[in-house]
Amino acid sequence: MASTPQIKIPATYMRGGTSKGVFFKLSDLPSVAQKAGPDRDRLLLRVIGSPDPYEKQIDGMGGATSSTSKTVILSKSESSEHDVDYLFGQVSIDKPVVDWSGNCGNLSAAVGPFAIANGLVDAARIPENGLAEVRIWQVNIQKTIVSQVPIVNGQVQETGDFELDGVTFPAAEIAVAFMDPADGEGAIFPTGSLIDDLDVPGVGKLKATLINAGIPTVFINAADVGYTGAELQDVINSDIRALKMFEAIRAYGAVRMGLINDVSDAAHRQHTPKVAFVGPPVDYVSSSGKPVQAADIDLLVRALSMGKLHHAMMGTAAVAIAAAAAIEGTLVNLAAGGDKRQAVTFGHPSGSLRVGAEANLIDGRWQIDQAIMSRSARVLMEGVVRIPGDSF
C-alpha cells in the first residue's frame, strides 16, 4: 500500500470573538497555495477536515459548526495605508467548497493580535504599553478595519476581565471599527428601498430589509414566520422545515439583492447573504441559563450562518444590525422602537451585544462612516498543522 508522508505547515489556532479558526501567514503556505485557486482550496479543506459526510470534521481542525470551520491568511499589506492584508475563507462542512465571498467579523478581532505577534506590523507602531492601532485591509470585501489591540510590556495582552456573551471565559477587550461598511459603491440598500416585499414560493410574501453593510443580510420580522425572536438554537436547528424555509428566504433574498442570478446558485454561495429575523424585546433565558431582561435590550435578533442558527451573532451580521438600526424605517430600526439612534443592544441566543453606528443621508443615499463593537481574541495553539502530502 502506497504511503504518502504528511507535510507540516506553520499555523496558529485562534479564537476571535465567538468564532475560532486556523490562521496562516501567506509566506508559510506551500508555494502552490500562495495564490488563489483550487490548490489553495483543497489544502484548506483538508486542514479543516472537509468535506465530511458525517458533518463532524473529525479528521481535521474544524469544529463542525459554521463558527469553527474557518481559515485566515495574513500578509504584510501591499498598501502603505494598512499594516496587514486579511483574507478569510469560510469552509463548508459537508461540501468541497471554500466560500471567499465575505468577511468574518468575529475573527477580525484576532487579526491584529496575530499580525503583531508574527511581525506583520511595524515595530515602531507598537507601544511598550497601551493600545496598538492595527490598520487591516479586508481583502474579501475590499474594506478597512481598524483594531485597537492592548499591549503590555511590548506584548499582546490576551487575558483580562472583558466578558463577551457566547464565550465562556473573560479576556482582554479589543475594539474593532469597520470603516465604511457598505459595498464598494455605497449601495447600502441594493434595491433602493428600506423595506421590500419578498415573495418566497412556499412561504409567502414577507416584508424584508435587504442591506449590504458588514455583510449582505436579509432581515425579516420574526412574527411573520411564526417566531418571537427569542428562540435558542435547538428550536430552529432541530426543525428541518424551518431550516429549509430560511434557506429559501436567503436564496430569494440573494437574487433580489443581485448577488446571484438564480436561486439554484445559492447552494454554491453559502456564506453570503445571511438571513436574520428580528422582534421587539421580551424576557428570555439565554443558552447559558443567564436571564436576559427585555428592559436591558432594544430588540431581539436571531441569525443563520451556513444553514444553521448561530449560537450567538456573527460579527459581520452585528455590523449589519448596527447599520440597519441607525436608519429609521428599516425592520431592524422598527423592532428597536423606530427612533433615531447611534447604538443598540440586541439579544441573541447566548446573551446580548451592544453595537454602534451613525447613519447619514447624503445626496439621497445612506452612508455609514463606521460600525464599532468590542470583541476579544486569544491564541489557543500554535506550531504546525499536518496534512497528507497528496491532499492538494
Side-chain angles (χ1 to χ4, degrees), residues 68-381:
T68 56
S69 188
K70 298 174 180 283
T71 56
V72 170
I73 301 173
L74 299 177
S75 58
K76 269 187 173 292
S77 183
E78 298 178 357
S79 161
S80 60
E81 297 179 356
H82 299 88
D83 300 299
V84 60
D85 289 343
Y86 157 40
L87 181 65
F88 168 69
Q90 178 74 52
V91 181
S92 174
I93 295 171
D94 60 341
K95 298 179 178 63
V97 173
V98 182
D99 194 326
W100 302 99
S101 66
N103 178 33
C104 175
N106 277 298
L107 288 189
S108 297
V111 171
F114 179 95
I116 291 171
N118 286 272
L120 300 178
V121 178
D122 237 342
R125 292 183 47 78
I126 305 168
E128 183 66 16
N129 292 283
L131 293 175
E133 181 177 273
V134 181
R135 304 162 303 177
I136 301 163
W137 181 245
Q138 215 301 317
V139 179
N140 304 70
I141 60 173
Q142 302 285 287
K143 289 292 181 180
T144 297
I145 301 169
V146 179
S147 180
Q148 303 290 337
V149 181
I151 304 293
V152 176
N153 298 328
Q155 303 296 314
V156 173
Q157 178 190 350
E158 295 183 284
T159 58
D161 57 8
F162 174 71
E163 295 186 357
L164 179 64
D165 285 341
V167 178
T168 305
F169 304 108
E173 181 177 4
I174 299 172
V176 184
F178 298 83
M179 312 303 292
D180 183 24
D183 78 3
E185 298 180 356
I188 293 178
F189 300 102
T191 67
S193 301
L194 302 183
I195 298 178
D196 286 282
D197 288 320
L198 186 64
D199 198 356
V200 183
V203 179
K205 187 172 288 188
L206 301 171
K207 296 294 182 184
T209 289
L210 310 174
I211 190 168
N212 188 357
I215 200 164
T217 306
V218 178
F219 288 106
I220 61 171
N221 286 320
D224 290 348
V225 287
Y227 297 111
T228 65
E231 288 75 18
L232 301 186
Q233 270 192 302
D234 284 350
V235 172
I236 305 299
N237 291 346
S238 63
D239 187 341
I240 300 301
R241 180 203 61 82
L243 294 178
K244 288 182 177 178
M245 175 189 71
F246 282 118
E247 179 58 19
I249 294 169
R250 191 185 76 87
Y252 279 90
V255 172
R256 192 69 173 274
M257 296 177 81
L259 299 173
I260 57 177
N261 295 319
D262 186 84
V263 290
S264 62
D265 297 332
H268 305 290
R269 188 184 175 121
Q270 294 181 311
H271 184 49
T272 58
K274 302 301 185 190
V275 60
F277 52 103
V278 301
V282 298
D283 295 342
Y284 69 98
V285 178
S286 73
S287 56
S288 68
K290 172 184 173 182
V292 178
Q293 304 297 328
D296 296 332
I297 57 177
D298 298 300
L299 76 159
L300 298 168
V301 190
R302 301 297 189 261
L304 286 86
S305 178
M306 303 295 284
K308 296 290 181 70
L309 189 74
H310 196 276
H311 76 284
M313 183 56 61
M314 304 81 80
T316 47
V319 172
I321 292 165
I327 298 173
E328 293 179 87
T330 69
L331 294 184
V332 179
N333 175 267
L334 294 172
D339 299 325
K340 183 174 178 60
R341 57 183 68 240
Q342 296 179 344
V344 290
T345 299
F346 63 88
H348 57 72
S350 295
S352 63
L353 178 66
R354 181 175 176 81
V355 292
E358 186 170 356
N360 295 292
L361 189 61
I362 300 174
D363 296 330
R365 303 187 77 171
W366 286 102
Q367 180 175 309
I368 305 289
D369 291 333
Q370 62 179 2
I372 303 173
M373 70 185 77
S374 286
R375 314 307 266 169
S376 61
R378 188 172 75 84
V379 172
L380 303 177
M381 183 180 291

